[in-house]
Amino acid sequence: MNNRLRNQRCYLAGAIDRVSDRGNAWRDALTPFLESLGVVVINPLKKPTNIAQEDEETAKHKRLLKYNKQYDELSAVMKEIRSVDLRMVDISDFLVVYLDLESQPCGTLEEIFWANRQKKPIIVKMEQGKVNAPDWLFGTIPHGFIFDTWKDIQDYLI
């Protein structure tokens, strides 16, 4: 079998700050599959850098800044995170996105559109089903890259 995905870099885009597990479960479940295909996984929750981390400590710090209305400080933290995350999109070859409209995926949407402008393949797992994907998404990526299930995505990648 010719594996065209070997050594390709995949950024895992999806909500972090408005989901209960901070987006860990789906990333942790998908990573071994991608790695079995030889894909280099770029996970924003496990950044290969000492800055812009999105660990539990950072999440607590951001919540405290919001609670105390320290918006300048929060903006500084988020500008660094945004910059690093978008740079990781830059160095990726393709994206796998978990899109759940219930999570208000502000950063995820920017990552999708950022990658789209760079002409990168964007594979979307739509939590509410392809039929409920935002109309704008159909004008952004080929509808064949929008999937209802993780199994469908895995079958496509194989």
Side-chain angles (χ1 to χ4, degrees), residues 5 44 64 73 78 83 85 100 105 108-109 136:
L5 293 179
L64 186 61
E73 293 87 345
M78 286 312 302
S83 177
D85 286 7
D100 180 353
T108 304
L109 293 173
W136 197 270

Side-chain angles (χ1 to χ4, degrees), residues 2-99:
N2 183 14
N3 183 355
R4 295 186 300 176
L5 293 179
R6 182 165 303 286
N7 298 319
Q8 296 294 298
R9 295 163 301 210
C10 175
Y11 180 76
L12 303 179
I16 294 173
D17 68 333
R18 293 182 180 262
V19 291
S20 61
D21 73 345
R22 296 181 35 259
N24 276 298
W26 76 267
R27 288 178 174 94
D28 289 345
L30 187 61
T31 294
F33 167 76
L34 291 170
E35 289 175 341
S36 77
L37 299 176
V39 172
V40 176
V41 175
I42 303 172
N43 181 342
L45 293 171
K46 298 176 181 170
K47 291 181 175 84
T49 176
N50 292 328
I51 62 169
Q53 291 299 316
E54 293 186 80
D55 52 19
E56 190 57 41
E57 183 179 321
T58 303
K60 287 178 186 176
H61 179 63
K62 291 188 309 180
R63 284 192 298 272
L64 186 61
L65 290 174
K66 267 189 177 176
Y67 178 80
N68 291 324
K69 299 182 180 180
Q70 294 175 284
Y71 301 126
D72 289 335
E73 293 87 345
L74 178 60
S75 291
V77 169
M78 286 312 302
K79 283 179 182 182
E80 188 172 76
I81 288 171
R82 178 177 175 265
S83 177
V84 170
D85 286 7
L86 292 177
R87 178 63 185 139
M88 290 191 302
V89 170
D90 288 341
I91 65 170
S92 70
D93 297 300
F94 71 103
L95 273 63
V96 172
V97 179
Y98 176 52
L99 190 56

Side-chain angles (χ1 to χ4, degrees), residues 89 95 97 99 108-124 126 130 133-146:
V89 170
L95 273 63
V97 179
L99 190 56
T108 304
L109 293 173
E110 183 176 19
E111 291 164 344
I112 289 170
F113 301 131
W114 191 266
N116 176 255
R117 286 184 185 94
Q118 297 177 24
K119 310 293 187 214
K120 295 182 184 201
I122 303 162
I123 298 164
V124 176
M126 188 67 218
K130 183 174 184 171
D135 293 348
W136 197 270
L137 198 58
F138 285 91
T140 304
I141 65 174
H143 75 85
F145 286 8
I146 305 170

